């Protein structure tokens, strides 16, 4: 079969790389893709949000399965439009994807179905929100209702900071309409983990556990980014915690969505805070994480295509997914200045030297070709991923690979995976 992957990041590169290995697949396309993806898929110059042109392309090429990477096309209803056209697509409908695209919807769903999460209130006016901040006292977390490219949640340690953030979101319009409603929630302490499941709306197949590193700087300091690195498995998720995540969070959420008439098909991403063995939901996302996909997909032993097909065709209960025992670690190399302003077009040298390294996979995010060379073209540039027998081995291998391309022009964290070591 022919498969189209929608998106252009490290997550989509990992998906194309894995899908390309399936004996069921004769061709992989990626829209729009990037320089690295073009090694594993034919890149097509159509934006991920240009749904009507994607439909035309899929029909013209006879593509039998489309896999959506990022959240924006899902929130715009790509799955609904493809389904209307009788085209097979992996991902949730617009209404099901509201679990990510509306924090208010997600929080209300959790309240209604008693799914453990931070205490919260919703605000439609700046004045009411400020009154609340003065009453409850920081630390607290202000969250824009809509999609804000990972920047919509701000942890506020002082009253002034909270009011400043509320002003920017609700009156300054920094996130446009997405910030006109906000959720203010209790600050949760603990350790974060990411938990993913494949689901067809009834059957659930969990992926392995993982942890992202959202903050820019070592020791989880500095501003939040899309993710500076990840590792899998995440030992903070003990077997007891795993059971609680499934019983108290994942199963009730999938059932709740079905009961609400929003049957969820695709990958559900649960962002968790874990304290004293008790998991609580920080957020849901309607897709694979980036860079979590890079570590999870490199650990996946089974062919991914039958699983994607089973989700689309609502027969996931027949699928068994096998995982490698090895640990995986991904170090993100980013343009200096990210998540703020940064330069593009800087040549990335040394990529060839990594090709011969066993158990090292370099997934590209913001890269492009320029005069036959690979250059930077975005904030996050490369996801250098390595498999090892243990997390320390995978960390060592990932950083050995990073050192071969590190000429000082890209920034990366030096402590990816370190948090796992205290459990070993
Ligand atoms: P979200 O977009 O809701 O996942 O928030 C982004 C990041 O903000 C999370 O990964 C956490 O690091 C932090 N965060 C969000 N909500 C809370 C909370 N209630 N307590 C503490 N930290 C939070
Ligand atoms: N790694 C965080 C995200 O994909 O949203």
């Amino acid at each position: 079969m022919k498969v189209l992957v929608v998106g252009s990041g490290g997550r989509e590169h990992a998906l194309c790389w894995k899908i390309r290995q399936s004996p069921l697949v004769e061709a992989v396309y990626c829209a729009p893709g990037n320089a690295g993806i073009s090694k594993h898929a034919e890149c097509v110059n159509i934006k991920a949000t240009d749904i009507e042109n994607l439909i035309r392309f899929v029909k013209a090429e006879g593509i039998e399965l489309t896999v959506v990477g990022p959240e924006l096309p899902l929130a715009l209803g790509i799955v609904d439009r493809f389904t209307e056209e009788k085209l097979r697509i992996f991902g949730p409908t617009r209404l099901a994807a509201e679990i990510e695209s509306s924090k208010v919807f997600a929080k209300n769903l959790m309240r209604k179905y008693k799914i453990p999460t931070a205490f919260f209130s919703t605000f439609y006016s700046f004045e009411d929100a400020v009154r609340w901040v003065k009453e409850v006292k920081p630390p607290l977390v202000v969250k824009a209702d809509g999609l804000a490219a990972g920047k919509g949640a701000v942890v506020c340690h002082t009253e002034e900071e909270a009011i400043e953030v509320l002003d920017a979101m609700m009156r300054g319009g920094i996130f446009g309409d997405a910030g006109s409603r906000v959720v203010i929630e209790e600050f949760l302490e603990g350790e974060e983990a990411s938990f993913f499941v494949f689901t067809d709306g009834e059957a659930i197949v969990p992926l392995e556990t993982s942890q992202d590193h959202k903050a820019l700087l070592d020791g989880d300091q500095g501003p939040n980014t899309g993710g500076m690195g990840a590792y899998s498995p995440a030992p903070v998720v003990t077997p007891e915690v795993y059971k609680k995540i499934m019983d108290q969070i994942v199963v009730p959420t999938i059932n709740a969505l079905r009961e609400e008439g929003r049957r969820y098909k695709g990958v559900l991403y649960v962002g968790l805070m874990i304290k004293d063995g008790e998991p609580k939901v920080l957020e849901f996302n309607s897709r694979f994480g980036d860079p979590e996909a890079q570590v999870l997909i490199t650990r996946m032993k089974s062919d991914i295509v039958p699983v994607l097909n089973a989700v689309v065709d609502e027969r996931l209960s027949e699928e068994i997914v096998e995982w490698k025992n090895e640990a995986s670690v991904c170090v993100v190399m980013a343009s200096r200045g990210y998540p703020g302003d940064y330069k593009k077009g800087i040549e990335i040298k040394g990529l060839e030297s990594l090709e011969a390294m066993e158990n090292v996979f370099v997934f590209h995010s913001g890269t492009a070709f320029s005069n036959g060379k690979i250059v930077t073209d975005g904030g996050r540039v490369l996801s250098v991923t390595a498999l090892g027998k243990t997390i320390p081995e995978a960390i060592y291998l990932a950083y050995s690979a990073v050192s071969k391309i590190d000429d000082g022009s890209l920034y990366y964290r030096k402590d990816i995976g370190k948090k796992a070591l205290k459990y070993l």
Side-chain angles (χ1 to χ4, degrees), residues 219-411:
D220 290 337
Q221 302 297 306
N224 265 348
T225 68
M228 293 304 297
Y231 64 88
S232 170
V236 63
V237 183
T238 59
E240 296 74 36
V241 173
Y242 187 100
K243 188 169 175 348
K244 283 184 190 164
I245 295 170
M246 286 301 288
D247 295 350
Q248 299 174 6
I249 296 170
V250 173
V251 173
T253 302
I254 302 293
N255 289 344
L257 285 163
R258 211 175 50 242
E259 269 176 50
E260 298 288 319
R262 298 171 187 242
R263 181 179 178 143
Y264 190 100
K265 290 166 63 172
V267 165
L268 180 68
Y269 167 161
V270 192
L272 296 158
M273 189 68 91
I274 300 161
K275 183 161 187 256
D276 301 330
E278 296 300 326
K280 286 188 180 171
V281 177
L282 287 179
E283 63 164 348
F284 287 110
N285 292 315
S286 53
R287 50 172 174 84
F288 282 107
D290 186 338
E292 292 96 321
Q294 289 86 312
V295 291
L296 293 170
I297 289 174
T298 47
R299 290 193 63 209
M300 195 171 179
K301 201 187 228 169
S302 303
D303 184 350
I304 197 171
V305 175
V307 187
L308 302 173
N309 277 333
V311 167
V312 174
D313 301 336
E314 299 178 10
R315 45 175 185 75
L316 185 63
S317 60
E318 298 164 15
E319 285 300 317
I320 293 170
V321 178
E322 289 189 290
W323 300 91
K324 295 180 185 166
N325 280 329
E326 286 113 310
S328 187
V329 169
C330 167
V331 178
V332 170
M333 301 182 79
S335 296
R336 292 195 176 273
Y338 170 79
D341 294 337
Y342 51 82
K343 275 198 217 131
K344 289 185 182 179
I346 299 169
E347 187 184 349
I348 310 166
K349 294 190 194 127
L351 283 169
E352 324 69 49
S353 64
L354 300 188
E355 282 171 18
M357 281 181 88
E358 213 177 320
N359 289 324
V360 170
F361 313 92
V362 182
F363 299 117
H364 292 217
S365 302
T367 66
F369 286 112
S370 173
N371 299 325
K373 294 184 175 129
I374 293 185
V375 299
T376 63
D377 193 39
R380 290 189 291 176
V381 176
L382 299 173
S383 295
V384 180
T385 309
L387 281 177
K389 276 201 201 73
T390 59
I391 289 179
E393 266 194 43
I395 292 173
Y396 178 78
L397 189 56
Y399 280 105
S400 312
V402 164
S403 71
K404 297 201 184 235
I405 22 183
D406 179 20
D407 63 359
S409 58
L410 297 174
Y411 167 78

